[in-house]
């Protein structure tokens, strides 16, 4: 089976940097995804890591360490519109493309 | 190129009834997955269809069933509705091992 842990809530200030951590346990790893979900909306894709290291995409970066079962999402230059839930998800090697999601981290950006 | 569309967006049912939710996948995507998202939780995998056949299923009872059609659109059927079935039902399409593209979801309330 798979288990994914991430903090329930975080608060940060506009313009600052925030790091959202995710730890996972899986029987076979085949990629880690981060999604953003605004209240009442569909999740939208942010990043994908399958190899160790940092993937950077504009203000958002995601890091993966497979040996530690650990990832983080880094958000720079926070904007009010970044207030949302951030979902960490892993895909295993059981031959299907389904993702197992964590419960999400609700980020509140304050002025 | 149209994205993933779902219908209906909202619906209310009573216990014991049956419901059918519909999804049109993104153009060219041959894989459709269905997820259930309870309030404050991450999406939970229900099942996945690839070229009209189910090729993966999560921990949901048999009263959750589905179909995929030759045009890759899909249906999710839930029989004998229970109060705990109240949730946002998300459809996602994908191509090969790529990211999932989610629809806006169908919010089901069971009274």
């Amino acid at each position: 089976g798979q288990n994914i842990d991430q903090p329930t809530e975080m608060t940060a200030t506009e313009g600052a940097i925030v790091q959202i951590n995710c730890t996972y346990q899986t029987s076979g790893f085949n990629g880690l995804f981060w999604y953003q979900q605004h209240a009442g909306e569909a999740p939208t894709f942010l990043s994908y890591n399958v190899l160790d290291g940092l993937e950077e995409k504009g203000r958002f970066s995601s890091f993966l360490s497979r040996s530690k079962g650990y990832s983080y999402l880094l958000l720079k230059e926070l904007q009010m519109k970044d207030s949302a839930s951030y979902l960490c998800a892993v895909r295993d090697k059981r031959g299907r493309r389904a993702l197992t999601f964590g419960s999400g981290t609700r980020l509140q950006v304050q002025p | 190129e149209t994205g993933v569309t779902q219908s209906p967006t909202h619906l209310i049912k009573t216990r014991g009834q049956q419901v059918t939710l519909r999804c049109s996948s993104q153009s060219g995507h041959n894989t459709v997955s269905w997820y259930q998202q309870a309030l404050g939780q991450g999406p939970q995998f229900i099942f996945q269809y690839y070229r009209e056949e189910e090729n993966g299923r999560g921990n949901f009872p048999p009263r959750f069933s589905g179909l995929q059609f030759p045009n890759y659109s899909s249906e999710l059927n839930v029989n004998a509705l229970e109060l705990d079935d109240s949730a946002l039902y998300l459809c996602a399409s994908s191509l090969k091992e790529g990211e999932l593209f989610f629809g806006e979801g169908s919010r089901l309330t069971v009274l």
Side-chain angles (χ1 to χ4, degrees), chain A residues 97, chain B residues 4 23-33 48-55 67-74 91-101:
Chain A
R97 303 167 195 168
Chain B
V4 179
C23 171
S24 293
S25 62
Q26 186 157 323
S27 177
H29 287 185
N30 55 19
T31 300
V32 172
S33 305
Q48 177 174 275
Y49 281 85
Y50 172 67
R51 293 187 176 180
E52 302 179 58
E53 292 196 3
E54 184 181 299
N55 77 333
L67 285 173
Q68 187 180 32
F69 301 99
N71 66 355
Y72 303 136
S73 66
S74 177
C91 171
S93 72
S94 62
L95 185 64
K96 293 184 179 181
E97 297 297 317
E99 70 203 65
L100 298 181
F101 292 85

Side-chain angles (χ1 to χ4, degrees), chain B residues 60-109:
Chain B
F60 281 81
R63 58 189 186 84
F64 285 77
S65 63
L67 285 173
Q68 187 180 32
F69 301 99
N71 66 355
Y72 303 136
S73 66
S74 177
E75 286 183 356
L76 164 65
N77 299 289
V78 187
N79 295 321
L81 283 167
E82 301 176 0
L83 296 180
D84 286 349
D85 295 334
S86 294
L88 180 68
Y89 288 85
L90 294 164
C91 171
S93 72
S94 62
L95 185 64
K96 293 184 179 181
E97 297 297 317
E99 70 203 65
L100 298 181
F101 292 85
F102 285 90
E104 295 295 324
S106 294
R107 184 163 297 283
L108 171 66
T109 301

Side-chain angles (χ1 to χ4, degrees), chain A residues 61-73:
Chain A
S61 303
S62 58
F63 171 83
L64 175 68
S65 169
R66 289 172 295 171
S67 62
K68 296 181 179 178
Y70 168 70
S71 173
Y72 67 72
L73 179 69

